[in-house]
Amino acid sequence: MRLDYPTNVKIIRVPCTGKVDVMHMLRCFQKGADGVYCVGCLEGTCHYNEGNIRARERVGHVKNLLEEIGIEADRVRMYNLSSGEGPTFAAYAKEMTEHIKALGPNPLKEKLKKAASA
Amino acid sequence: MKVCPISLPNEYDEGLSERKAIFKQYPQAIPGAFGITKTGTAPCKATCPAHVSIQGYIALINEGKYDEALKLFKQDHPFPGICGRVCHHPCEGECTRNEVDQPLAIRELHRFLADYERGRGEYHVPEITAEKRDEKVAIIGSGPAGLTTAYYLLQEGYQVTIFEKLPEPGGMMRVGIPEYRLPRDILAGEIQVIEKMGAEIKCGVTFGKDITLDSLKKDGYSAVYMAIGLHGGRNLGVENEDAEGVLQGVDFLRDAAMGKKVEIGKDVIVVGGGNVAIDVALTAKRLGAENVTLICLERREEMPAWEHEIEEALEGEIKIVNSFGPKNFFIDKNKKVSGIEFKTCTAVFDEEGRFSPQYDEDVCQPFFGDTIIISIGQSTNLEGIKEQGIAVSRPGGLEADPVTFQTPIEWVFAGGDAYYGPKSVVDAVWCGKEAAESIHRYINGMDLKEGREQNWEYVKPDVFDEVKKDRVKVRCLNPEGRECNFLEVSYGYNEEEAKIEADRCLKCGVCSECYQCVEACLAEAVDHEQKPETKEINIGSVILSSGAKPYDPEPLENLYLYKKNPNVMTSLEFERILSASGPTMGHLVRPSDHKEPEKIAWLQCVGSRDTNKCGNTYCSSVCCMYAIKDAMIAKEHSGGNLDCSIFYMDIRSFGKDYELYYNRARDREQIRFVKSRIHSITEDPETRDLILKYADETGAMQEETFNMVVLSVGLEVPDSSLEMAKRLGIEINKHKFVETDPFTPVASSRKGVYTCGIFQGPKDIPASVTEASAAASLAGAEIAEARGTDIKTIELPDEIDIEGQEPRIGVFVCNCGINIAGVVDVPAVQDYAEKLPGVVFTANNLFTCSQDTQEIIKEKIKEEKLNRVVVASCSPKTHAPMFMETLEACGLNRYLFEMANIRNQDSWVHANNPELATEKAKDLVRMAVARSVTLKPLRGKVIPVNKRALVLGGGIAGMNAALDLAKQGFESTLIEKEGQLGGMARKLYHTIEGGDIKAYLEKLNARVASEEKIEVLTNAAVVDFEGFQGNFATRVDINGGEDTREINHGVIIVATGAREYTPKEFLYGEDKRVVTQVELGDRLAQQGAADLETVVMIQCVGSRNEERPNCSKICCQSAVKNALDIKKQNPDAQVFILYRDIRTYGLLEDYYTEARKQGVIFIRFDRDNPPTVGASDDGVLVTVKDHVLQRNIEIGADLLTLSAGVYPSDTEDVSNVMKLNRNSEGYFIEAHVKLRPVDMGTDGVFLCGTAHGPKLVSETIAQANAAASRAVTFLSKDEIKLSAIKAHVDTDHCVKCLTCVRSCPFEVPVFNVATGEVEIDPALCQGCGVCACVCPRQTIQLNYYEDDQIMCNIDALLAGGI
């Protein structure tokens, strides 16, 4: 459908959101990503039965971890849609981008820069 | 699609949006390719002698694409301006608009293009793409035929010289057509184009005098084209014709055109009734004649001149006198003409229409004038022609072949007026074009005739409700302004007028053949020359699956206001509104004002269960469920505040788990279900809301207003399917579905012809998909011997070992035509890729997926010794398998491949931001390259397939499945827990249609018994089971453990069946007069119904309640079947059926109707207010509240029959041993309700019969066929190659915490007690990666998605900074 969405969204392909590890999400923040979101199938329609439910739980877990280290928990989110919902995908991409822009840059990024310059 | 100028209603969106003539059906369509809607050639194009794509240039004018329109016109015709003025436009005569109002002003529209071109001062000169050739062609005559031939030969690269006798080029266009009709600069401009293309025009050269065939040959000309025209006049042959003052029309016009002084008197008489005569008359008037009289033989309506020319003559005050033939001229004493005497012409043509004038010499009339101009015909000047041996035809023209225009001298061709007599410019264009083709073929030694004769048939669309639009009038010089000058009379259209006129086009052929798509497609994939082909294929069987169409409620527009009020939609239209890819992008708004509706009503059974309005008396089976679904989705879209009401007769949620869905809609989503009859719908004219009047269950009239009304339209078989059935000679039942037998549900009346889906009968998707497999099974069985005979195997080279090699990465960046390159700076991405670590080769390709690029990739893999390939193009979902095959073909492991999706995830979605899109493309390529380094060669496990099947359950389902497998050549073991085969069917007598189940079962038993490929084990139970797809081992205990068998098999078909529920309610088991439907069937067969006075049946016993919420599907038809049986045996018996909803879906509705006709009384009761039953000596007393009467009624029954539900039998044991999933009611669960309805979640296990859910005998048989079919797809393979994307355990570091064992949704990881290790069997692993994530020590990795492979993706992405 070639629906427009922000260019700062980049997709990392996994076989199922059930394969998205807490470690993967944290690595994104560690390396300077401002936000991370998982897009899974609608709950109840996972090809692998419950991968998206696990992903939702893991996203929740990452939220807690981020909070603990002083990063806004809402920089990580879980979205669900079906493969036929292009417009919804684009809408979520915009929503997430606007949301992250409102939060501002990932605080770790400053530290990364300092570390790099030091 | 962007360049196509033709828009039409989008069928996929039910006409709620528009699409182009070139289109893809819908985004997910398979094949995912574009097609063009062409209904045929438009009448204008077919009729135009030059076959100009008229509809095409008109469509382009509509779009304001004038340059493209001109270019298109000039493809087929060199003179848009000339013909824009002088063409007799036969196209307009055939224009479909004639049938509505007036034809399109086709000529004026291309004149507009020519004027546009002239106004711009720059003429479009066709590009010559052919290479320049040495051959020379001489053309004699620079009229339209000669010029056209030159025009086309130049485009083929030839060198062309045109020789013209007169001092200026143009032939009759220059000297025959007066200037007021065709201004000289227009003519000159269009001739100049041909000169610019390279033609040399030599004027003042007379053929036969200055040049001859011999001299031309000597000068090296390869061919000559003779287009010398008709420049001589014809004489009357009457006395004194040679007198002074008698002129020849052709000469007169030529002299006038060439600016010679022509002496004419005040009173001019023109003899003749053709176009030339009219031009002569008007020219004479312009040269100063006071009175011009045109006299001709023909009656006014017979005149050969075109009507518009005659009208122009009349406007020019030319007096026209008809029906006179010249007798003799009067001369004065100076031998100067003074008049002419005419005789009356009584008939011009004879009975056969030949020219044969008859006169009445007695009625004569003299006319006086000082100049008389004869204009009765033209002739060729053959001086110097005959002498050269050029053949002359009988009427005095040049002789040539009518198709090739070759003369008897093979290198000489002839055409134009000199060949076929006086015709118009456009005919000359046609002739010149054909001659050019012939000359080209002649020079190249090709067959001149092959494929030349084209049949120009045309199509006209239906103009039934076309809106009238008046033709835009052409502004003209007023008649006074035309006097004594040669100013152009017609002004032509300006841009605005042209657009208004162009918009009148009816797009007859749909595709306008403007060929813009051909130019836009860089892959050169569009071919407008494709023609339908008729092919003959040898086949063993046929499957008819042509489906249904939704009922069109237009005939009921007065009742439902459909099409009268846009807020009344069919369910299919409404679904498009709900669809994210639909016309409103899934935004729920109503069509009249695009406001979000607050209240929507669904009306059920529109076009179904309807005897008096549409005649479709059957139930369409699917409408209740889709209405509920749509109401739920609509609610979801609107945020939950939407008020949804479904007006119904019976809610038929009879499918597996459908009742749960219905309950959820009603109880949780608050969708209102109103049992009612619709009386009428009226419109509130102000708001366009709809006022629904209906009778509720008590019969009281109610009125309610809704913002929208959705008509739940039923399904019906389209006429095209019926025609097909007729052609194939198969029987159709009275509802227009294929006639089938309940015991062979997918076989038609003709052997070898099968059917499935809705053409078989109304049904939903799961049932259709099931039947499709069933039909495939039976069709396949007929040709089982031929299986595998048409397969080609691909030989692959040995794999290259890349162990220890440094990465050598090749990056191929795709332009995808302009799909990527139109947005992303592809060369910049390629440059960037070159600098990435490990990259040794980069390229950019127009289409990386094309066959030739695959060859380049293969070449580069070998040349550059690539050990990783990255393609930056589109989606791996669609294209990775193809590229992976390319890798394999040169010995590189297929998993050493990675894609960067710079199209779907970049250029397509960031088209407005090319710079950022280019940067993102670089990011994506960097990620892909980084990931490719981490990739390892992977190999999918190959497992052999044991060709035996195990069929669990020896009922109708199991026996049919085993027999089907046998027919396809596969052995099976059929396991039955009872002592004999037959299952539940042993308790049944006949189907509702009257099919004898007992006889059928007997036959089935015999067939199984005599089938060598089936081994039957009775009194058998499965006790142990292990293995995976293709390699199962099952242990079976026989006769309670007396004997044990170990069976190795490749697949399992589960057909363990179901039983009738044993009721606990309504005195069942306490009172002998209370029985179940199965027992009643038995009684009716054994004892008959003679002793029964009153029978009451209670439906939904043990179904649709708290404990068993689902519907048992078959009980309504069982009740109706037994009720009809009672009525048949004892018509006086009273039968009451107490029901909640009667669910006689599909064609079963007929029996429900019949039962009511027979006097069976149906009384509805409420779920919360069930009947009560008491025993008395006189019978069983049943009390029920009647909804119509609103009071309790009491019935004393001899027999109370309970429609006891269907319960699965013994699924628990099987499930425990074989680990097969069951739902809460104990039925086995299919892998996917719609897509894989007879597969189970475990690969290699299939499911059929009532073990899957309640169903009829016919449905069971179809499902058994289907399960066998699915099993055969598996068994027919010798081995299965599994995907290599599987999880594996690093046993050295595993701490055996068993988290993976607990987490796997498929229970694949197991702790092997013998080895003490956790094992993951790749044959069972589904590759989801859940275990890899939960493993606390990361000792489990999922191939191709290992942690470092994902991490490096993240690192590479973020290394670029965000």
Side-chain angles (χ1 to χ4, degrees), chain B residues 954-955 974-983 986 1005 1016-1021 1038-1040:
Chain B
L974 180 59
I975 294 177
E976 169 57 43
K977 64 175 187 221
E978 306 274 337
Q980 54 178 309
L981 297 175
R986 286 196 291 130
N1005 259 320
V1016 179
L1017 300 178
T1018 48
N1019 290 319
I1038 299 163
N1039 292 332

Side-chain angles (χ1 to χ4, degrees), chain B residues 1178-1252:
Chain B
D1178 298 337
V1180 186
L1181 286 178
V1182 183
T1183 312
V1184 63
K1185 185 177 174 189
D1186 184 290
H1187 269 261
V1188 182
L1189 304 172
Q1190 284 294 310
R1191 50 187 281 198
N1192 281 334
I1193 52 174
E1194 192 173 79
I1195 310 161
D1198 307 330
L1199 200 62
L1200 171 65
T1201 308
L1202 304 180
S1203 287
V1206 179
Y1207 283 25
S1209 49
D1210 307 334
T1211 54
E1212 193 174 349
D1213 293 347
V1214 174
S1215 165
N1216 287 343
V1217 179
M1218 302 186 124
K1219 298 197 186 75
L1220 300 175
N1221 286 334
R1222 297 185 309 152
N1223 68 11
S1224 59
E1225 299 196 346
Y1227 293 109
F1228 287 115
I1229 301 174
E1230 58 274 42
H1232 189 285
V1233 176
K1234 289 188 176 87
L1235 303 177
R1236 295 170 64 198
V1238 297
D1239 295 14
M1240 290 197 68
T1242 311
D1243 289 328
V1245 185
F1246 307 94
L1247 173 64
C1248 61
T1250 44
H1252 158 271

Side-chain angles (χ1 to χ4, degrees), chain B residues 149-209:
Chain B
T149 308
Y151 181 81
Y152 286 102
L153 285 173
L154 288 165
Q155 293 186 48
E156 293 290 347
Y158 296 103
Q159 298 180 46
V160 180
T161 313
I162 304 173
F163 298 99
E164 172 59 50
K165 189 164 152 186
L166 293 169
E168 280 182 48
M172 273 298 180
M173 300 191 291
R174 175 69 183 84
V175 299
I177 301 170
E179 195 175 356
Y180 61 84
R181 206 183 292 290
L182 176 58
R184 299 295 170 234
D185 58 331
I186 304 280
L187 176 66
E190 292 186 347
I191 294 177
Q192 262 169 29
V193 169
I194 298 171
E195 284 182 295
K196 272 191 195 155
M197 288 166 72
E200 190 184 353
I201 304 182
K202 291 185 174 170
C203 289
V205 181
T206 306
F207 182 75
K209 205 170 90 190

Side-chain angles (χ1 to χ4, degrees), chain A residues 7 44 46 58 82 88 91 93 99 103 106:
Chain A
T7 52
C46 175
R58 287 188 203 134
S82 84
T88 319
H99 164 69
L103 286 179
N106 170 2

